[in-house]
Amino acid sequence: MMSAALALIGAVVYGSADFLGGLAARRLRSLVVTAVAALSGFVALALAQPLIGGSWTTSDLAWGVLAGAVGVVAVALLYACLAVGPMSILSPLTAVVSAVAPMMWGLLVKGDSLGAVGYAGLGVALVAVVLVGFVPGEKVVRPTARALAMAIGAGLAIGTFLIIVDQTSGESGLVPLLAGRATSTCITGIILAALAIAAVRRGAPVRSVLEVAAPPPGGTPSARADHPHVATGAAVTALSRRRAWWLAISCGVADAAANALMLLALRVGDLAVVSALTALYPAGTILLAAVVLRERVAVVQWVGLALALAAGGMLAAA
């Protein structure tokens, strides 16, 4: 099934975007990385749109704007819950909810239908999501009700984003994604501007809003930006300001490419399949962190990666 292949490739590209964003967030704040990525992603989609074509309808634009707003909420909740921790529980919980919510919508509301192999593939994909997203080495700490609520909320928001994008017409091309990127760029830009104005009023430099005062504690690209991560022994190299900005820009371009792959997968396949495989995005981050930064990949994560490939094959054959 072409949609399974596109969704799996898109998940790896999403993970690559997270990797680049995580590196950028060693020097820039998460909100800054998010805003820059939203803008660069918008530019990339705007350049690609004339080549792909598509109709500009009010409904598709409206769905795109709504998707952009929901995407900002998803990122905010995700960062908030991972900051509270424990990441080893909240990260896979968010990923599973982000897969299950649109999966159930596709099966129960849209009427997506799969064979026995397909349903088995969905189950294997969910197990893979948990194992790939699991962050080993943390002390077992029971998450608070607030942290659990934020993790579930983040997962629901990510899943809702997929459901909303799936409502767009097949003739719209990249128009919904363009509208979504424009919306997220405006929202994050307004928040950054407000924070910068507030900093100036209290006598602080604008740089204090843009850059982190110090590297995030134990932060690595295999976790989300600006959030604690398990220490792996990987050296945290100092980033120049210029390189950090270019990494943030590259993050946006990669994320836009992943969005386009996800949209194409939805156009040619089932929401249930696409959502399950898209939730495997941590795989791309983990692999890049292992290759580029030589971070250690835990055995449980290797098992998750193997199951992810198996799930992709099962869903492609469904």
Side-chain angles (χ1 to χ4, degrees):
M1 186 186 295
M2 180 62 68
S3 63
L6 290 171
L8 200 54
I9 295 172
V12 174
V13 179
Y14 270 127
S16 302
D18 273 0
F19 176 81
L20 296 171
L23 286 178
R26 290 177 172 179
R27 185 66 184 263
L28 305 174
R29 295 192 179 276
S30 293
L31 180 60
V32 176
V33 175
T34 303
V36 172
L39 179 58
S40 63
F42 173 79
V43 173
L45 291 171
L47 292 175
Q49 172 59 24
L51 303 176
I52 296 175
S55 59
W56 295 71
T57 65
T58 303
S59 61
D60 286 325
L61 287 172
W63 284 122
V65 170
L66 182 59
V70 169
V72 173
V73 173
V75 170
L77 287 174
L78 179 64
Y79 283 178
C81 79
L82 293 183
V84 173
M87 187 180 292
S88 61
I89 296 176
L90 299 180
S91 178
L93 174 61
T94 299
V96 168
V97 173
S98 73
V100 170
M103 186 189 303
M104 298 307 295
W105 178 277
L107 294 174
L108 300 179
V109 179
K110 283 192 62 184
D112 292 346
S113 180
L114 300 172
V117 174
Y119 285 112
L122 291 180
V124 173
L126 289 179
V127 174
V129 167
V130 174
L131 297 182
V132 170
F134 183 73
V135 182
E138 292 190 56
K139 295 180 180 178
V140 179
V141 178
R142 184 177 179 179
T144 64
R146 176 170 169 266
L148 286 173
M150 288 190 296
I152 293 173
L156 289 174
I158 295 171
T160 300
F161 174 85
L162 281 170
I163 294 172
I164 292 172
V165 173
D166 190 47
Q167 306 306 306
T168 60
S169 67
E171 299 75 30
S172 60
L174 299 177
V175 171
L177 297 182
L178 271 171
R181 286 283 170 164
T183 302
S184 57
T185 300
C186 290
I187 293 175
T188 53
I190 290 172
I191 295 174
L192 272 179
L195 291 175
I197 292 172
V200 171
R201 285 182 175 178
R202 65 173 181 268
V206 175
R207 182 180 298 178
S208 65
V209 177
L210 302 179
E211 301 181 6
V212 294
T220 69
S222 51
R224 289 283 180 163
D226 273 358
H227 294 104
H229 187 274
V230 132
T232 61
V236 178
T237 56
L239 279 178
S240 66
R241 184 182 297 112
R242 181 178 180 180
R243 187 181 179 194
W245 283 99
W246 276 112
L247 284 169
I249 292 170
S250 300
C251 168
V253 175
D255 192 61
N259 279 166
L261 287 168
M262 176 267 296
L263 180 63
L264 183 56
L266 288 172
R267 297 271 167 83
V268 300
D270 296 328
L271 174 61
V273 172
V274 175
S275 62
L277 294 178
T278 300
L280 291 167
Y281 64 84
T285 312
I286 291 170
L287 290 174
L288 275 176
V291 173
V292 178
L293 301 180
R294 302 188 182 281
E295 289 188 10
R296 182 180 64 85
V297 179
V299 174
V300 67
Q301 292 174 314
W302 280 119
V303 173
L305 291 171
L307 288 177
L309 291 176
M314 294 171 72
L315 291 170

